[in-house]
Amino acid sequence: MTDVLETAQTARPDSAESWWRQAAVYQIYPRSFADSNGDGIGDLPGITSRVPYLKQLGVDAVWLSPFYPSELADGGYDVADYRDVDPRLGTLEDFDRMSEELHRAGIRLIVDIVPNHTSDRHVWFQEALASPKGSAARARYIFRDGKGENGELPPSDWTSAFGGPAWHPVGDGQWYFHFFATEQPDLNWDNPEVREDFLTTLRFWSDRGVDGFRIDVAHGLAKKLPDELPSQAELDALPKDGDHPLWDRDDVHDIYAEWRRVFNEYTPARTAVAEAWVAADRRARYASPEGLGQAFNFDLLEADFDAAQFRNIIAFNLELARESGSSTTWVLSNHDVVRHATRYGLPPRGDSTVKQGAAWLLSGGAEPEVDRELGLRRARAATLLELALPGSAYLYQGEELGLPEVADIPAADRQDPAFFRNPGVDIGRDGCRVPLPWAAGGASFGFGAAGAHLPQPAWFADYSVEAEEADADSTLNLYRRALELRSELETEERLEWIETGRGDVLAFRRPNGWISITNFGSAAVALPEGEVLLSSGALDGEALPPAVTAWLRA
Ligand code: NOJ
């Protein structure tokens, strides 16, 4: 394995055009961040009120999950109007105020664009339902005649991502395709009107000062359904080589080339990051400067707390970034997966930790199965390692508190369509979306003046911002210190492995001389020479204990 790894960018990352390359981006799930008006739902003024917190945390940008009008069939990823704010979350004026405050604090703003599907409440879909078969209104979506004498059977046996059928009848013999929930009809991206409208949306938010976009299901927009539809089994067996009917088609990049021209109309150019669950060797095109510019790499999120896995993933992704000309993106938690403080505390089950986490939740999420202390210790070590890497780091709200997953949400309180559409198979993602605890007591732990839209457990008090601010060794104070140091780390996107002679210890040096060393093993290891800048847990004299990362200046 090569010892020195670098991306194409060796300049310092401090220009206005390249702010994103090594940014620490904080993901806000708006409904669960801060509630300003006591209705139990987080909102944009709530975010504005917490800008000082974000500034003190030291993030470079925030990414907002959808805040658009939505019936919330999929937590806002069912958008009824792409150019407005959900009245429960505020107004466009509130958006402008929030954007202004963030920018004043030196924090950039990224918003989520959901182009694969709309909400069934979107005016286009309502028009499609009211219009006949073959109409222009239906041509914006994917309608097909049903099978059977009167179209009473679905066009194919395809299943949706959240379980259940992927086709829904509209009552006149036609069915529409929805890869996600029934309330999320897929758009037809062959339709020029659809294409044009999204350019308008990108300009709408760019004109309002948004700095970048996160693109939902970026690999799904372009579709080519043959007249004779394959079965689900046949579909699954088709190679995803650029010509699959649904996924990662080569022609999806024509769409992003058009978007890139829009991004480049602005100074600095607007940025974008693709959520594209594609084979690693097909990620680079999404990340190319002619395309979206950056693509999520979820590899660490899927890995175990294991030195060899981490090393391979880091090496591989820095190489991919070099090929695409982009920087890489590290993610340990987001709104779709079990929080990493919990994942790392689960007993090993020989499969990926994401599946392991899901299995744990499904089995009722019995707490004794989770070693919370170990989970948090490892989570802190993994985060400190992540923050030392070249590339951008995407952090998910609450991880800076070391917040564990909430497993025992009663069925009556659950919201995720994955739970309802797949009974007994998928418990859903509500456990990582529980409103944040800001205070150690009070209604909804300071989230708002009243309750929270998902129930918060009593132990949230221990993880509250208030409790952690008072504790010098808290996870919050670790993140603050790490992000502060990271901002000093402005350096070329390069690392050099330091051979430690141990397979369970990972160490590397950045061009400014800093060293990050992580002990993935079960015995303490000697620290390299140098001044310790920060460590994710207490050191043992000159030794690095298990599940701890240290940063040193050599
Ligand atoms: C990916 C989003 O992250 C997830 O939350 C959502 O359910 C699907 N895309 C569908 O929009």
Side-chain angles (χ1 to χ4, degrees), residues 74 77 114 117 162 180 184 214 216-217 275 335-336 429 433:
D74 181 19
Y77 283 89
V114 189
H117 43 266
F162 299 142
F180 294 94
Q184 292 169 296
R214 177 263 188 192
D216 191 63
V217 201
E275 187 223 18
H335 66 298
D336 287 333
R429 302 159 292 180
R433 300 175 178 181

Side-chain angles (χ1 to χ4, degrees), residues 126-138 172 174:
Q126 289 301 314
E127 202 186 326
L129 290 181
S131 304
K133 172 179 166 178
S135 58
R138 288 209 178 172
D172 59 4
Q174 284 222 301

